[in-house]
Amino acid sequence: MFRQVWAVVMLSGCFVNLAACSPYVSWKEEVKLNDGRVIVVKQKRLAEGEVPREEWLTIPLPEFDVNPIVWHEHLIPLILNIDHRILYIVGIPPTGREIRLYGCPEHGAVGFKWQNGQWIRIPFGDIPLNIYSTNMLINNFPPKGTSLLTILEKSSRSLNGDGRASGNWTLNPNRGNGC
């Protein structure tokens, strides 16, 4: 009897607040590009508890595609930027499971560039030095209830610890891959 009552209570809580039962977290985030523009990207993460497992970014950059560009990987994106008219994303694996999935990425980061309408994985050495500074949320998730994460919020100590998302944290080519 107790189990049935508990199940009804839990299910009704899920119906009242669907987000509480969903393994997905979504928000919009301001991202400042090297050319000075600020764009708003949509992030969606699939989580197991507090661990992000999959990420979708929806990027509105009409100079690359008339439709929003979607990036989907098992990485936490740290950098979304443009260098010499090429769009790049750099992410890191959240756990050992993803490190193995990506073959122990060189220097712990995985780079991609948008080419001919698709994302192409690139070696670490092909990531331009001009985009080494992070411009996306470093923490796994924004505060609960966040619908738009601003650049100012990302640079605050209360949200991102040492303010790494403000561009004070960069990729490190001297870092090993941890494998």
Side-chain angles (χ1 to χ4, degrees):
M1 175 75 171
F2 175 76
R3 286 184 183 175
Q4 290 172 332
V5 171
W6 183 249
V8 168
V9 168
M10 291 303 291
L11 283 175
S12 59
C14 287
F15 290 127
V16 171
N17 183 5
L18 289 175
C21 298
S22 175
Y24 294 94
V25 178
S26 296
W27 70 94
K28 291 182 180 176
E29 179 174 334
E30 290 182 338
V31 177
K32 186 171 184 177
L33 304 176
N34 281 351
D35 64 10
R37 286 184 293 165
V38 175
I39 64 171
V40 176
V41 299
K42 182 179 176 186
Q43 290 212 43
K44 178 178 164 185
R45 287 195 182 153
L46 173 62
E48 286 179 3
E50 294 295 316
V51 178
R53 291 294 181 198
E54 286 184 71
E55 172 79 30
W56 291 262
L57 287 180
T58 304
I59 308 157
L61 285 170
E63 67 264 38
F64 292 102
D65 199 312
V66 293
N67 297 311
I69 298 167
V70 176
W71 179 79
H72 172 225
E73 292 292 333
H74 296 267
L75 300 165
I76 299 172
L78 301 179
I79 298 166
L80 166 68
N81 223 323
I82 299 169
D83 185 63
H84 292 92
R85 294 190 287 214
I86 298 172
L87 177 61
Y88 293 92
I89 292 182
V90 180
I92 58 170
T95 71
R97 179 163 90 183
E98 290 80 13
I99 289 171
R100 288 184 298 279
L101 178 68
Y102 286 90
C104 294
E106 186 178 8
H107 310 298
V110 182
F112 296 88
K113 70 178 179 179
W114 182 252
Q115 184 176 333
N116 299 322
Q118 64 182 341
W119 290 105
I120 307 294
R121 184 172 173 180
I122 59 173
F124 187 89
D126 288 354
I127 300 169
L129 292 173
N130 292 336
I131 68 162
Y132 268 32
S133 292
T134 60
N135 60 355
M136 301 195 71
L137 178 67
I138 301 290
N139 280 351
N140 290 340
F141 304 100
K144 289 191 186 308
T146 299
S147 59
L148 175 64
L149 186 60
T150 67
I151 291 169
L152 184 60
E153 290 169 321
K154 286 192 297 187
S155 66
S156 72
R157 281 191 169 283
S158 62
L159 178 60
N160 239 359
D162 59 6
R164 294 176 289 183
S166 64
N168 295 330
W169 188 84
T170 62
L171 295 179
N172 183 351
N174 297 318
R175 181 175 176 238
N177 63 6
C179 295

